[in-house]
Amino acid sequence: MLVAAAVCPCPPLLVPEVAAGAAPELDAARAACSDALGVVAASRPDLLVVVGPAGQDGTGSHPQGAGGGFGGFGVDLEVRLGPAGDDGARERELPPSLAVAAWLLDRTDWAAAPVRGLGVGERLAGERCARAGRELASEAGRVALLVMGDGSACRTLKAPGYLDGRAVHFDAAAARALGAADTTALLALDEQSAYELKVAGRAPWQVLAGAAQGAGLGGALLYEEAPYGVGYFVAAWS
């Protein structure tokens, strides 16, 4: 059963070494992520599953101890998902969203429960996302999620996806749903609009919605901004 969740953005810029001179611009987001993870740790889960966007279709599992890094962004920094696993886990490369999650967990000295990762295709249908979430929630008596994902990348003229007038309204709906732990509203987010608006978080958020159905969790929105023209949200559910 799902007992808590933290929702965090997943840009590599969240890692100060990647952001370099621009690192202070996301200090508030980093602090909010730490607060959200504190809520998850306080729930004393038996299992923590990190969920993040990875590729276009399907899902992929990443065991505890799987490694990743930020060499593709010009930074020689390696991370590992939770404590070291077996030798096979070392060979599983984390997608960027889960590498950022691993960095967040390292920063909070996470050692409260076993950890594993789930990469979710950004075009995975909403019902499949919800089904994956329900399956996650049944894996242990007390399950917690760390859900990585960004809002629209079309909020300004200089945004990665340029300016799209629909972006602010899509992000506002997503922020309301995340802050209220509204699973119905999250599952209602339109898949095609999310794809067109370059919303990396839609599928992971809908996995969360599936996991939380019937759990009776409440939510709090801890951060909502659009630096660099991309919607970033942090929320805590418990």
Side-chain angles (χ1 to χ4, degrees):
M1 178 178 180
L2 187 72
V3 295
V7 178
C8 297
C10 61
L13 288 173
L14 205 60
V15 179
E17 291 87 343
V18 176
E25 296 176 12
L26 290 180
D27 278 349
R30 296 184 191 99
C33 290
S34 294
D35 290 343
L37 279 170
V39 171
V40 168
S43 73
R44 299 183 179 180
D46 301 320
L47 171 68
L48 174 68
V49 183
V50 180
V51 183
Q56 291 296 308
D57 298 294
T59 61
S61 184
H62 298 269
Q64 179 167 298
F70 301 95
F73 303 94
V75 175
D76 185 17
L77 174 65
E78 295 185 352
V79 294
R80 194 162 298 285
L81 189 62
D86 57 31
D87 291 339
R90 296 174 182 272
E91 299 174 1
R92 297 293 301 274
E93 181 74 13
L94 295 171
S97 66
L98 298 190
V100 174
W103 177 84
L104 286 173
L105 291 175
D106 286 345
R107 187 169 178 260
T108 55
D109 295 322
W110 179 269
V115 182
R116 74 173 183 86
L118 180 68
V120 184
E122 293 185 36
R123 300 221 67 178
L124 193 66
E127 177 49 40
R128 290 186 62 191
C129 293
R131 184 166 65 248
R134 291 191 292 270
E135 292 171 355
L136 291 180
S138 68
E139 289 191 11
R142 298 179 63 82
V143 176
L145 300 184
L146 169 54
V147 182
M148 309 297 292
D150 303 337
S152 174
C154 302
R155 294 280 294 270
T156 66
L157 291 173
K158 294 184 178 181
Y162 197 65
L163 177 64
D164 190 311
R166 300 171 296 168
V168 66
H169 302 292
F170 188 102
D171 280 359
R176 284 194 301 271
L178 292 170
D182 187 338
T183 60
T184 301
L186 285 176
L187 291 173
L189 293 175
D190 183 70
E191 299 162 25
Q192 185 60 31
S193 295
Y195 178 73
E196 293 171 0
L197 294 171
K198 301 185 182 301
V199 179
R202 190 275 306 170
W205 298 337
Q206 290 183 332
V207 171
L208 168 61
Q213 285 179 315
L217 302 185
L221 190 66
L222 307 182
Y223 178 89
E224 179 187 4
E225 296 291 344
Y228 319 118
V230 182
Y232 295 156
F233 316 116
V234 179
W237 291 19
S238 63

